[in-house]
Amino acid sequence: MPTLDAIHWGPASKAKPKQLVVLCHGLGADAFDLIDLAPSWAQACPDAIFASVHAPFPHDSAFGRQWWSVADRSPAVMEAGVRTAAPYLHGFLDAELARLELTDYAIMGFSQGAMMSLFTGLRHAAAPRAILAFSGALVAPESLSKEIRNHAPVLLVHGEADEVVPVARSRDAEAALTAAAVPVEAHYIARLGHGIDDTGISFGALALQKGFS
């Protein structure tokens, strides 16, 4: 089973980890891009260990990493890309939970990483306590009802001024998840572009706190 490399932070409590939070970066970034979220979110889950993963493939530019190439963004190619990358994330989740002797975990992603988190998290045999998707999209929504393996609660956060991944992609995801009976909480932030602001970080902390309670 393919897997991924990661960098870790925590637990803030210095105790043995009780939960795992996996962070999935966006296109052209790497694991270091999101690990700084860990100290903020650790206030909500002090016994969690955070694992920020490197996407499996070098970015087309040779700088950073990618889950799949977006040279062609047609729906069929995007679906093929996420299906190629998903086994890496499934493998990491299984291996990391076994290594840490844990069952409780959450998965978070930004942009392309959010697409991975939504696709893989809802199809993973062991249900996450929460799925957090920032500035992302639900790839292959038409296949979800046939392939869904859990109904983990989902948090969607998206800037209304996003020029990279239009906010409509999260609105579409919200509708598709609701139709699939997945609990979903969505927040659309005025004047925010393609990024995560303090408001989004607060929503993420609340989702983790609720998920692990």
Side-chain angles (χ1 to χ4, degrees):
M1 176 72 73
T3 189
L4 303 168
D5 294 325
I7 56 176
H8 295 82
W9 189 96
S13 67
K14 308 300 184 184
K16 182 179 179 181
K18 295 180 180 178
Q19 303 100 14
L20 168 68
V21 180
V22 176
L23 310 175
C24 301
H25 66 77
L27 184 72
D30 59 25
F32 294 96
D33 188 58
L34 294 181
I35 196 62
D36 287 345
L37 291 171
S40 296
W41 284 346
Q43 299 176 49
C45 44
D47 292 326
I49 185 169
F50 291 80
S52 188
V53 296
H54 293 287
F57 306 112
H59 187 256
D60 289 345
S61 69
F63 295 96
R65 311 289 297 176
Q66 65 187 17
W67 296 94
W68 69 88
S69 174
V70 296
D72 182 342
R73 302 193 184 205
S74 64
V77 173
M78 293 285 281
E79 180 175 350
V82 76
R83 290 190 184 279
T84 297
Y88 289 87
L89 189 51
H90 282 302
F92 178 81
L93 292 171
D94 289 338
E96 194 77 341
L97 289 169
R99 181 182 73 84
L100 295 167
E101 299 180 325
L102 295 175
T103 57
D104 292 342
Y105 76 100
I107 182 169
M108 172 271 175
F110 171 73
S111 193
Q112 193 180 52
M115 301 177 199
M116 282 300 305
S117 298
L118 287 169
F119 186 91
T120 308
L122 292 168
R123 290 167 173 81
H124 200 68
R129 288 298 195 94
I131 299 171
L132 287 62
F134 290 78
S135 305
L138 184 65
V139 179
E142 65 284 347
S143 71
L144 183 60
S145 62
K146 296 179 181 178
E147 298 176 358
I148 194 167
R149 301 190 70 180
N150 66 73
H151 289 77
V154 170
L155 171 71
L156 302 175
V157 181
H158 211 128
E160 291 185 343
D162 195 329
E163 296 180 349
V164 178
V165 181
V167 67
R169 300 302 302 274
S170 279
R171 295 190 191 277
D172 291 344
E174 181 184 7
L177 293 168
T178 299
V182 174
V184 58
E185 176 184 341
H187 298 278
Y188 305 106
I189 302 176
R191 297 180 295 281
L192 177 65
H194 194 62
I196 304 174
D197 65 359
D198 289 343
T199 299
I201 291 173
S202 296
F203 285 132
L206 289 171
L208 292 173
Q209 187 176 51
K210 186 186 301 182
F212 290 138
S213 63

PDB file of all heavy atoms in Angstrom, residues 71-102:
ATOM      1  N   ALA A  71      -2.801  20.305 -15.180  1.00  0.00           N
ATOM      2  CA  ALA A  71      -2.594  20.828 -16.527  1.00  0.00           C
ATOM      3  C   ALA A  71      -3.881  20.723 -17.340  1.00  0.00           C
ATOM      4  O   ALA A  71      -4.164  21.560 -18.193  1.00  0.00           O
ATOM      5  CB  ALA A  71      -1.455  20.079 -17.210  1.00  0.00           C
ATOM      6  N   ASP A  72      -4.646  19.674 -17.072  1.00  0.00           N
ATOM      7  CA  ASP A  72      -5.968  19.491 -17.669  1.00  0.00           C
ATOM      8  C   ASP A  72      -6.970  19.433 -16.515  1.00  0.00           C
ATOM      9  O   ASP A  72      -6.900  18.541 -15.671  1.00  0.00           O
ATOM     10  CB  ASP A  72      -6.004  18.189 -18.478  1.00  0.00           C
ATOM     11  CG  ASP A  72      -7.344  17.948 -19.176  1.00  0.00           C
ATOM     12  OD1 ASP A  72      -8.352  18.562 -18.791  1.00  0.00           O
ATOM     13  OD2 ASP A  72      -7.379  17.117 -20.108  1.00  0.00           O
ATOM     14  N   ARG A  73      -7.880  20.395 -16.456  1.00  0.00           N
ATOM     15  CA  ARG A  73      -8.823  20.474 -15.340  1.00  0.00           C
ATOM     16  C   ARG A  73     -10.208  19.977 -15.708  1.00  0.00           C
ATOM     17  O   ARG A  73     -11.184  20.297 -15.031  1.00  0.00           O
ATOM     18  CB  ARG A  73      -8.901  21.916 -14.812  1.00  0.00           C
ATOM     19  CG  ARG A  73      -7.549  22.442 -14.355  1.00  0.00           C
ATOM     20  CD  ARG A  73      -7.671  23.718 -13.565  1.00  0.00           C
ATOM     21  NE  ARG A  73      -6.352  24.242 -13.224  1.00  0.00           N
ATOM     22  CZ  ARG A  73      -6.099  25.034 -12.191  1.00  0.00           C
ATOM     23  NH1 ARG A  73      -7.086  25.403 -11.394  1.00  0.00           N
ATOM     24  NH2 ARG A  73      -4.870  25.480 -11.946  1.00  0.00           N
ATOM     25  N   SER A  74     -10.310  19.197 -16.745  1.00  0.00           N
ATOM     26  CA  SER A  74     -11.603  18.633 -17.107  1.00  0.00           C
ATOM     27  C   SER A  74     -12.052  17.672 -16.007  1.00  0.00           C
ATOM     28  O   SER A  74     -11.217  17.054 -15.322  1.00  0.00           O
ATOM     29  CB  SER A  74     -11.511  17.891 -18.436  1.00  0.00           C
ATOM     30  OG  SER A  74     -10.637  16.780 -18.338  1.00  0.00           O
ATOM     31  N   PRO A  75     -13.355  17.534 -15.803  1.00  0.00           N
ATOM     32  CA  PRO A  75     -13.845  16.677 -14.703  1.00  0.00           C
ATOM     33  C   PRO A  75     -13.298  15.256 -14.743  1.00  0.00           C
ATOM     34  O   PRO A  75     -12.954  14.699 -13.699  1.00  0.00           O
ATOM     35  CB  PRO A  75     -15.363  16.714 -14.890  1.00  0.00           C
ATOM     36  CG  PRO A  75     -15.618  18.038 -15.534  1.00  0.00           C
ATOM     37  CD  PRO A  75     -14.458  18.263 -16.457  1.00  0.00           C
ATOM     38  N   ALA A  76     -13.194  14.657 -15.921  1.00  0.00           N
ATOM     39  CA  ALA A  76     -12.716  13.274 -16.016  1.00  0.00           C
ATOM     40  C   ALA A  76     -11.262  13.160 -15.582  1.00  0.00           C
ATOM     41  O   ALA A  76     -10.874  12.209 -14.882  1.00  0.00           O
ATOM     42  CB  ALA A  76     -12.878  12.755 -17.442  1.00  0.00           C
ATOM     43  N   VAL A  77     -10.446  14.129 -15.972  1.00  0.00           N
ATOM     44  CA  VAL A  77      -9.023  14.103 -15.602  1.00  0.00           C
ATOM     45  C   VAL A  77      -8.858  14.400 -14.117  1.00  0.00           C
ATOM     46  O   VAL A  77      -8.019  13.783 -13.434  1.00  0.00           O
ATOM     47  CB  VAL A  77      -8.229  15.091 -16.471  1.00  0.00           C
ATOM     48  CG1 VAL A  77      -6.789  15.204 -15.982  1.00  0.00           C
ATOM     49  CG2 VAL A  77      -8.252  14.634 -17.926  1.00  0.00           C
ATOM     50  N   MET A  78      -9.652  15.321 -13.587  1.00  0.00           N
ATOM     51  CA  MET A  78      -9.594  15.605 -12.154  1.00  0.00           C
ATOM     52  C   MET A  78      -9.983  14.366 -11.351  1.00  0.00           C
ATOM     53  O   MET A  78      -9.343  14.032 -10.343  1.00  0.00           O
ATOM     54  CB  MET A  78     -10.523  16.762 -11.815  1.00  0.00           C
ATOM     55  CG  MET A  78     -10.086  18.093 -12.398  1.00  0.00           C
ATOM     56  SD  MET A  78      -8.675  18.833 -11.536  1.00  0.00           S
ATOM     57  CE  MET A  78      -9.509  19.538 -10.109  1.00  0.00           C
ATOM     58  N   GLU A  79     -11.005  13.660 -11.791  1.00  0.00           N
ATOM     59  CA  GLU A  79     -11.410  12.440 -11.080  1.00  0.00           C
ATOM     60  C   GLU A  79     -10.322  11.380 -11.159  1.00  0.00           C
ATOM     61  O   GLU A  79     -10.020  10.714 -10.155  1.00  0.00           O
ATOM     62  CB  GLU A  79     -12.710  11.899 -11.655  1.00  0.00           C
ATOM     63  CG  GLU A  79     -13.164  10.627 -10.956  1.00  0.00           C
ATOM     64  CD  GLU A  79     -14.520  10.115 -11.426  1.00  0.00           C
ATOM     65  OE1 GLU A  79     -15.216  10.845 -12.179  1.00  0.00           O
ATOM     66  OE2 GLU A  79     -14.879   8.987 -11.040  1.00  0.00           O
ATOM     67  N   ALA A  80      -9.718  11.216 -12.332  1.00  0.00           N
ATOM     68  CA  ALA A  80      -8.628  10.241 -12.466  1.00  0.00           C
ATOM     69  C   ALA A  80      -7.473  10.606 -11.550  1.00  0.00           C
ATOM     70  O   ALA A  80      -6.848   9.731 -10.934  1.00  0.00           O
ATOM     71  CB  ALA A  80      -8.160  10.181 -13.917  1.00  0.00           C
ATOM     72  N   GLY A  81      -7.195  11.913 -11.414  1.00  0.00           N
ATOM     73  CA  GLY A  81      -6.104  12.352 -10.549  1.00  0.00           C
ATOM     74  C   GLY A  81      -6.363  12.043  -9.094  1.00  0.00           C
ATOM     75  O   GLY A  81      -5.487  11.514  -8.389  1.00  0.00           O
ATOM     76  N   VAL A  82      -7.555  12.373  -8.602  1.00  0.00           N
ATOM     77  CA  VAL A  82      -7.846  12.131  -7.185  1.00  0.00           C
ATOM     78  C   VAL A  82      -7.892  10.638  -6.897  1.00  0.00           C
ATOM     79  O   VAL A  82      -7.492  10.185  -5.810  1.00  0.00           O
ATOM     80  CB  VAL A  82      -9.153  12.839  -6.766  1.00  0.00           C
ATOM     81  CG1 VAL A  82     -10.380  12.122  -7.245  1.00  0.00           C
ATOM     82  CG2 VAL A  82      -9.214  13.029  -5.257  1.00  0.00           C
ATOM     83  N   ARG A  83      -8.330   9.846  -7.864  1.00  0.00           N
ATOM     84  CA  ARG A  83      -8.355   8.392  -7.644  1.00  0.00           C
ATOM     85  C   ARG A  83      -6.952   7.801  -7.642  1.00  0.00           C
ATOM     86  O   ARG A  83      -6.695   6.807  -6.947  1.00  0.00           O
ATOM     87  CB  ARG A  83      -9.233   7.723  -8.700  1.00  0.00           C
ATOM     88  CG  ARG A  83     -10.713   8.008  -8.534  1.00  0.00           C
ATOM     89  CD  ARG A  83     -11.584   7.142  -9.428  1.00  0.00           C
ATOM     90  NE  ARG A  83     -12.986   7.508  -9.304  1.00  0.00           N
ATOM     91  CZ  ARG A  83     -13.795   7.115  -8.326  1.00  0.00           C
ATOM     92  NH1 ARG A  83     -13.329   6.306  -7.377  1.00  0.00           N
ATOM     93  NH2 ARG A  83     -15.058   7.504  -8.295  1.00  0.00           N
ATOM     94  N   THR A  84      -6.036   8.398  -8.367  1.00  0.00           N
ATOM     95  CA  THR A  84      -4.645   7.946  -8.328  1.00  0.00           C
ATOM     96  C   THR A  84      -3.991   8.288  -6.998  1.00  0.00           C
ATOM     97  O   THR A  84      -3.216   7.498  -6.439  1.00  0.00           O
ATOM     98  CB  THR A  84      -3.848   8.578  -9.481  1.00  0.00           C
ATOM     99  OG1 THR A  84      -4.387   8.138 -10.733  1.00  0.00           O
ATOM    100  CG2 THR A  84      -2.374   8.190  -9.415  1.00  0.00           C
ATOM    101  N   ALA A  85      -4.314   9.464  -6.468  1.00  0.00           N
ATOM    102  CA  ALA A  85      -3.681   9.916  -5.230  1.00  0.00           C
ATOM    103  C   ALA A  85      -4.309   9.315  -3.981  1.00  0.00           C
ATOM    104  O   ALA A  85      -3.638   9.174  -2.950  1.00  0.00           O
ATOM    105  CB  ALA A  85      -3.753  11.444  -5.154  1.00  0.00           C
ATOM    106  N   ALA A  86      -5.596   8.958  -4.043  1.00  0.00           N
ATOM    107  CA  ALA A  86      -6.311   8.500  -2.843  1.00  0.00           C
ATOM    108  C   ALA A  86      -5.645   7.325  -2.132  1.00  0.00           C
ATOM    109  O   ALA A  86      -5.595   7.318  -0.890  1.00  0.00           O
ATOM    110  CB  ALA A  86      -7.759   8.177  -3.188  1.00  0.00           C
ATOM    111  N   PRO A  87      -5.137   6.303  -2.841  1.00  0.00           N
ATOM    112  CA  PRO A  87      -4.508   5.196  -2.107  1.00  0.00           C
ATOM    113  C   PRO A  87      -3.332   5.628  -1.235  1.00  0.00           C
ATOM    114  O   PRO A  87      -3.069   4.999  -0.198  1.00  0.00           O
ATOM    115  CB  PRO A  87      -4.048   4.250  -3.224  1.00  0.00           C
ATOM    116  CG  PRO A  87      -4.982   4.538  -4.359  1.00  0.00           C
ATOM    117  CD  PRO A  87      -5.236   6.014  -4.287  1.00  0.00           C
ATOM    118  N   TYR A  88      -2.630   6.684  -1.632  1.00  0.00           N
ATOM    119  CA  TYR A  88      -1.530   7.178  -0.802  1.00  0.00           C
ATOM    120  C   TYR A  88      -2.059   7.702   0.533  1.00  0.00           C
ATOM    121  O   TYR A  88      -1.480   7.438   1.590  1.00  0.00           O
ATOM    122  CB  TYR A  88      -0.775   8.296  -1.524  1.00  0.00           C
ATOM    123  CG  TYR A  88       0.042   7.838  -2.705  1.00  0.00           C
ATOM    124  CD1 TYR A  88      -0.529   7.737  -3.969  1.00  0.00           C
ATOM    125  CD2 TYR A  88       1.385   7.506  -2.556  1.00  0.00           C
ATOM    126  CE1 TYR A  88       0.224   7.320  -5.060  1.00  0.00           C
ATOM    127  CE2 TYR A  88       2.151   7.085  -3.634  1.00  0.00           C
ATOM    128  CZ  TYR A  88       1.559   6.999  -4.880  1.00  0.00           C
ATOM    129  OH  TYR A  88       2.312   6.586  -5.953  1.00  0.00           O
ATOM    130  N   LEU A  89      -3.150   8.447   0.480  1.00  0.00           N
ATOM    131  CA  LEU A  89      -3.702   9.001   1.715  1.00  0.00           C
ATOM    132  C   LEU A  89      -4.370   7.919   2.549  1.00  0.00           C
ATOM    133  O   LEU A  89      -4.228   7.897   3.778  1.00  0.00           O
ATOM    134  CB  LEU A  89      -4.683  10.123   1.385  1.00  0.00           C
ATOM    135  CG  LEU A  89      -5.190  10.964   2.565  1.00  0.00           C
ATOM    136  CD1 LEU A  89      -4.047  11.477   3.420  1.00  0.00           C
ATOM    137  CD2 LEU A  89      -6.026  12.135   2.048  1.00  0.00           C
ATOM    138  N   HIS A  90      -5.089   7.009   1.913  1.00  0.00           N
ATOM    139  CA  HIS A  90      -5.654   5.870   2.644  1.00  0.00           C
ATOM    140  C   HIS A  90      -4.539   5.097   3.354  1.00  0.00           C
ATOM    141  O   HIS A  90      -4.670   4.725   4.532  1.00  0.00           O
ATOM    142  CB  HIS A  90      -6.375   4.921   1.687  1.00  0.00           C
ATOM    143  CG  HIS A  90      -7.733   5.368   1.250  1.00  0.00           C
ATOM    144  ND1 HIS A  90      -8.750   5.634   2.148  1.00  0.00           N
ATOM    145  CD2 HIS A  90      -8.254   5.574   0.009  1.00  0.00           C
ATOM    146  CE1 HIS A  90      -9.845   5.990   1.472  1.00  0.00           C
ATOM    147  NE2 HIS A  90      -9.559   5.974   0.184  1.00  0.00           N
ATOM    148  N   GLY A  91      -3.464   4.851   2.640  1.00  0.00           N
ATOM    149  CA  GLY A  91      -2.356   4.094   3.219  1.00  0.00           C
ATOM    150  C   GLY A  91      -1.720   4.822   4.386  1.00  0.00           C
ATOM    151  O   GLY A  91      -1.374   4.200   5.405  1.00  0.00           O
ATOM    152  N   PHE A  92      -1.557   6.137   4.258  1.00  0.00           N
ATOM    153  CA  PHE A  92      -0.975   6.904   5.360  1.00  0.00           C
ATOM    154  C   PHE A  92      -1.873   6.847   6.586  1.00  0.00           C
ATOM    155  O   PHE A  92      -1.386   6.644   7.709  1.00  0.00           O
ATOM    156  CB  PHE A  92      -0.751   8.357   4.945  1.00  0.00           C
ATOM    157  CG  PHE A  92      -0.190   9.201   6.053  1.00  0.00           C
ATOM    158  CD1 PHE A  92       1.163   9.188   6.337  1.00  0.00           C
ATOM    159  CD2 PHE A  92      -1.032   9.975   6.845  1.00  0.00           C
ATOM    160  CE1 PHE A  92       1.682   9.944   7.381  1.00  0.00           C
ATOM    161  CE2 PHE A  92      -0.522  10.737   7.892  1.00  0.00           C
ATOM    162  CZ  PHE A  92       0.839  10.715   8.152  1.00  0.00           C
ATOM    163  N   LEU A  93      -3.179   7.044   6.402  1.00  0.00           N
ATOM    164  CA  LEU A  93      -4.105   7.015   7.536  1.00  0.00           C
ATOM    165  C   LEU A  93      -4.021   5.684   8.273  1.00  0.00           C
ATOM    166  O   LEU A  93      -3.911   5.642   9.507  1.00  0.00           O
ATOM    167  CB  LEU A  93      -5.527   7.271   7.055  1.00  0.00           C
ATOM    168  CG  LEU A  93      -5.823   8.682   6.532  1.00  0.00           C
ATOM    169  CD1 LEU A  93      -7.206   8.721   5.890  1.00  0.00           C
ATOM    170  CD2 LEU A  93      -5.727   9.713   7.642  1.00  0.00           C
ATOM    171  N   ASP A  94      -4.075   4.601   7.537  1.00  0.00           N
ATOM    172  CA  ASP A  94      -4.033   3.279   8.174  1.00  0.00           C
ATOM    173  C   ASP A  94      -2.711   3.055   8.899  1.00  0.00           C
ATOM    174  O   ASP A  94      -2.693   2.576  10.045  1.00  0.00           O
ATOM    175  CB  ASP A  94      -4.248   2.181   7.121  1.00  0.00           C
ATOM    176  CG  ASP A  94      -5.674   2.131   6.606  1.00  0.00           C
ATOM    177  OD1 ASP A  94      -6.587   2.619   7.304  1.00  0.00           O
ATOM    178  OD2 ASP A  94      -5.886   1.607   5.494  1.00  0.00           O
ATOM    179  N   ALA A  95      -1.607   3.410   8.241  1.00  0.00           N
ATOM    180  CA  ALA A  95      -0.294   3.172   8.836  1.00  0.00           C
ATOM    181  C   ALA A  95      -0.066   4.045  10.065  1.00  0.00           C
ATOM    182  O   ALA A  95       0.472   3.589  11.084  1.00  0.00           O
ATOM    183  CB  ALA A  95       0.795   3.424   7.796  1.00  0.00           C
ATOM    184  N   GLU A  96      -0.477   5.308   9.983  1.00  0.00           N
ATOM    185  CA  GLU A  96      -0.243   6.232  11.094  1.00  0.00           C
ATOM    186  C   GLU A  96      -1.107   5.876  12.305  1.00  0.00           C
ATOM    187  O   GLU A  96      -0.643   5.909  13.451  1.00  0.00           O
ATOM    188  CB  GLU A  96      -0.517   7.658  10.626  1.00  0.00           C
ATOM    189  CG  GLU A  96       0.005   8.726  11.555  1.00  0.00           C
ATOM    190  CD  GLU A  96       1.502   8.937  11.452  1.00  0.00           C
ATOM    191  OE1 GLU A  96       2.233   8.060  10.942  1.00  0.00           O
ATOM    192  OE2 GLU A  96       1.958   9.995  11.915  1.00  0.00           O
ATOM    193  N   LEU A  97      -2.362   5.517  12.065  1.00  0.00           N
ATOM    194  CA  LEU A  97      -3.224   5.116  13.178  1.00  0.00           C
ATOM    195  C   LEU A  97      -2.700   3.845  13.842  1.00  0.00           C
ATOM    196  O   LEU A  97      -2.722   3.723  15.076  1.00  0.00           O
ATOM    197  CB  LEU A  97      -4.658   4.914  12.687  1.00  0.00           C
ATOM    198  CG  LEU A  97      -5.404   6.203  12.299  1.00  0.00           C
ATOM    199  CD1 LEU A  97      -6.697   5.858  11.572  1.00  0.00           C
ATOM    200  CD2 LEU A  97      -5.704   7.053  13.538  1.00  0.00           C
ATOM    201  N   ALA A  98      -2.210   2.911  13.034  1.00  0.00           N
ATOM    202  CA  ALA A  98      -1.649   1.685  13.600  1.00  0.00           C
ATOM    203  C   ALA A  98      -0.371   1.982  14.381  1.00  0.00           C
ATOM    204  O   ALA A  98      -0.164   1.453  15.486  1.00  0.00           O
ATOM    205  CB  ALA A  98      -1.372   0.683  12.482  1.00  0.00           C
ATOM    206  N   ARG A  99       0.493   2.837  13.836  1.00  0.00           N
ATOM    207  CA  ARG A  99       1.751   3.170  14.496  1.00  0.00           C
ATOM    208  C   ARG A  99       1.509   3.833  15.844  1.00  0.00           C
ATOM    209  O   ARG A  99       2.205   3.554  16.827  1.00  0.00           O
ATOM    210  CB  ARG A  99       2.579   4.090  13.597  1.00  0.00           C
ATOM    211  CG  ARG A  99       3.935   4.490  14.168  1.00  0.00           C
ATOM    212  CD  ARG A  99       4.663   5.432  13.241  1.00  0.00           C
ATOM    213  NE  ARG A  99       4.097   6.771  13.230  1.00  0.00           N
ATOM    214  CZ  ARG A  99       4.386   7.712  14.120  1.00  0.00           C
ATOM    215  NH1 ARG A  99       5.218   7.456  15.125  1.00  0.00           N
ATOM    216  NH2 ARG A  99       3.844   8.916  14.029  1.00  0.00           N
ATOM    217  N   LEU A 100       0.514   4.709  15.897  1.00  0.00           N
ATOM    218  CA  LEU A 100       0.223   5.465  17.111  1.00  0.00           C
ATOM    219  C   LEU A 100      -0.760   4.756  18.034  1.00  0.00           C
ATOM    220  O   LEU A 100      -1.037   5.247  19.129  1.00  0.00           O
ATOM    221  CB  LEU A 100      -0.339   6.839  16.732  1.00  0.00           C
ATOM    222  CG  LEU A 100       0.610   7.768  15.984  1.00  0.00           C
ATOM    223  CD1 LEU A 100      -0.146   8.947  15.387  1.00  0.00           C
ATOM    224  CD2 LEU A 100       1.727   8.248  16.901  1.00  0.00           C
ATOM    225  N   GLU A 101      -1.288   3.634  17.573  1.00  0.00           N
ATOM    226  CA  GLU A 101      -2.287   2.863  18.321  1.00  0.00           C
ATOM    227  C   GLU A 101      -3.497   3.737  18.656  1.00  0.00           C
ATOM    228  O   GLU A 101      -3.951   3.805  19.790  1.00  0.00           O
ATOM    229  CB  GLU A 101      -1.666   2.266  19.592  1.00  0.00           C
ATOM    230  CG  GLU A 101      -0.515   1.310  19.303  1.00  0.00           C
ATOM    231  CD  GLU A 101       0.087   0.726  20.567  1.00  0.00           C
ATOM    232  OE1 GLU A 101       0.154   1.439  21.590  1.00  0.00           O
ATOM    233  OE2 GLU A 101       0.462  -0.455  20.536  1.00  0.00           O
ATOM    234  N   LEU A 102      -4.011   4.405  17.620  1.00  0.00           N
ATOM    235  CA  LEU A 102      -5.149   5.306  17.770  1.00  0.00           C
ATOM    236  C   LEU A 102      -6.295   4.872  16.870  1.00  0.00           C
ATOM    237  O   LEU A 102      -6.098   4.178  15.866  1.00  0.00           O
ATOM    238  CB  LEU A 102      -4.746   6.742  17.390  1.00  0.00           C
ATOM    239  CG  LEU A 102      -3.714   7.435  18.273  1.00  0.00           C
ATOM    240  CD1 LEU A 102      -3.350   8.790  17.678  1.00  0.00           C
ATOM    241  CD2 LEU A 102      -4.239   7.597  19.694  1.00  0.00           C
TER     242      LEU A 102
END
